[in-house]
Amino acid sequence: MLTLQEGSLNWALNHALNVGDTDVFPAPFEYEAIRHDWDAVRSELAEVNVLEWATRPARALLSPKAKYGFRVITQLDPIDFLIYSSLVYEISGDLEARRLPIADEVVFSYRVDTNQDGQLYSPEVGYRSFLSRCREKLRQYTDNCFVATADISDFYSRIYHHRLENALRAATPRTSHVNAIMGLLSGWNGTETFGIPVGCAASRVLAEITLSDVDEALLANGVDFIRFNDDYRIFATSQAQAYQHVAFLAETLFRNHGLSLQPQKTSVQDAPSFRDQYLATPLDREMDSLHERFQELIEELGLESWYEEIDYDDLTEEQQELVDALNLVELFRDEASSDEPDIPVIRFCLRRLGQLGDASAVDDVFESLESITPAFVDVIEYISNLRYLNITSRSELGGRLLDLLDDSIVSELAYHRMWIMNLFTSSREWDNENRFVNLYNRENDQACKRKLILAMGRSQQTHWFQSQWRTLFEHPHWQRRAVLAAASCMPADARRHWYRSVEPQLDVLERAVMRWARSNPFSG
């Protein structure tokens, strides 16, 4: 039998609330419901034998990875997420100790450094450290230097479970934890014996420990390399040596894990070509400059976070000049109108404009949507942050977004439709409430239908919910919880009777949602 420690469950909930359960889906309201009913939920989970846990329905969507590239992303059921994250948290120290030390400056991705606020990875070691080390390595090779770049193809989705299990058993003596983790993966994947959830922080340390034997093999064979996640940089004194080392990497990945390198991302270049393409591109220089100037502004304003709201009118003249110097709207327009916009610049501009609540780029966003689609989530978050819009402007903007659902570049993927609909789930400020029922009736994707259920609840469409108690358990799990929450829009007596009639059939998460909704009704 294996049970989870209460401290681990507390950490997992803090992780979900403060860091997020994924970096690709909107945050589920269920975590607020769990926090509201945490004593009851934690008490129940602390008694569970996780070795016998039956996994709950996860959900998967096709998401854009680039303009014409796609990947399948996963969002775990919130209870499964808490169990999975708690298990990984409890062995994370063992896994980190088994990896190459941070001080070696070889592996820069997802270095474990936990705290009670839910942090899992060190914020001090990451991709920028990886790039900095690349520059240092080039300086160390004073004479001839060739650099091989390589990237693993479909890494997370192709990780073989038995290879992962072997890596875990070599890293930690806690065999019950390993068995429990493998049981979860088996439950989510069914008959498939490969693939781990994409977008979930706990998965990243599992991916890292899977590659630890490859790291060791490269070093043992004299390969001078550094790595960030599935991205390798190999340094050599000749083109032939670089090729040999890439071939050794490819062979090791295939023999040990059945993995392969992406041909289009594998190459050997001399040092100047590598520096120009990867370390000194105009985009890198521009992004470095933007980050430095924005950091200067953050320090000048005394903000604790890069993401705090900034009220331009409250700034001093000197501080306003710092904001103006970023020239965010013109930078966005120039980039969005180019043949191939640099998406990192687009995202930077949208996030900063959102902080300022600056609506100047709204029309440009809609006009350039086809070229900036990979940044669509940032578009939605930008719009959601436009706090100075009046009622009429919000209604018009909400309508423009819903119009995109009919026939646009973002109407095809449920992922995009879900993010559009998410804007209407937390408040009524975007109006267009007369369109929700029709959208629900014609929508086929469960993730989108769930968002529309929440939107109908927020907009007080009690007529839709009054008969739902009869069909509540015909809804899939994720939609059912949305119905339970949004049904709180009904009058107090009606929802009290409604909840009392279904309560005996609810599971631990559904009960938490019901109790949260009673205390935080959508009718408020």
Side-chain angles (χ1 to χ4, degrees), residues 310 312 323-324 327-330 333 349-362 365 382-383 385-389:
I310 300 173
Y312 184 86
V323 172
D324 295 341
N327 200 23
L328 293 169
V329 175
E330 287 306 315
R333 287 172 178 161
C349 292
L350 289 173
R351 290 170 184 174
R352 306 291 80 85
L353 287 168
Q355 276 179 273
L356 291 162
D358 186 340
S360 304
V362 166
V365 164
Y382 162 61
I383 290 172
N385 286 324
L386 298 180
R387 54 192 181 275
Y388 303 121
L389 295 177

Side-chain angles (χ1 to χ4, degrees), residues 6 9 37-48 508:
E6 286 195 357
L9 290 165
D37 199 33
W38 184 228
D39 286 345
V41 175
R42 181 181 57 195
S43 177
E44 191 160 335
L45 293 185
E47 295 179 359
V48 166
V508 59

Side-chain angles (χ1 to χ4, degrees), residues 122-141:
S122 169
E124 306 301 324
V125 183
Y127 193 71
R128 294 180 75 83
S129 306
F130 174 70
L131 292 179
S132 178
R133 184 58 176 157
C134 279
R135 297 184 181 100
E136 291 178 8
K137 299 289 286 184
L138 289 181
R139 288 194 292 268
Q140 291 172 5
Y141 280 78

Side-chain angles (χ1 to χ4, degrees), residues 397-411:
L397 189 48
R400 292 178 75 178
L401 285 169
L402 291 181
D403 288 344
L404 294 175
L405 300 174
D406 291 329
D407 185 20
S408 71
I409 192 170
V410 297
S411 63

Side-chain angles (χ1 to χ4, degrees), residues 4-12 14 42 86 89-90 116:
L4 296 167
Q5 301 172 17
E6 286 195 357
S8 302
L9 290 165
N10 288 339
W11 176 89
N14 286 337
R42 181 181 57 195
S86 296
Y89 171 76
E90 290 186 356
Q116 290 308 304

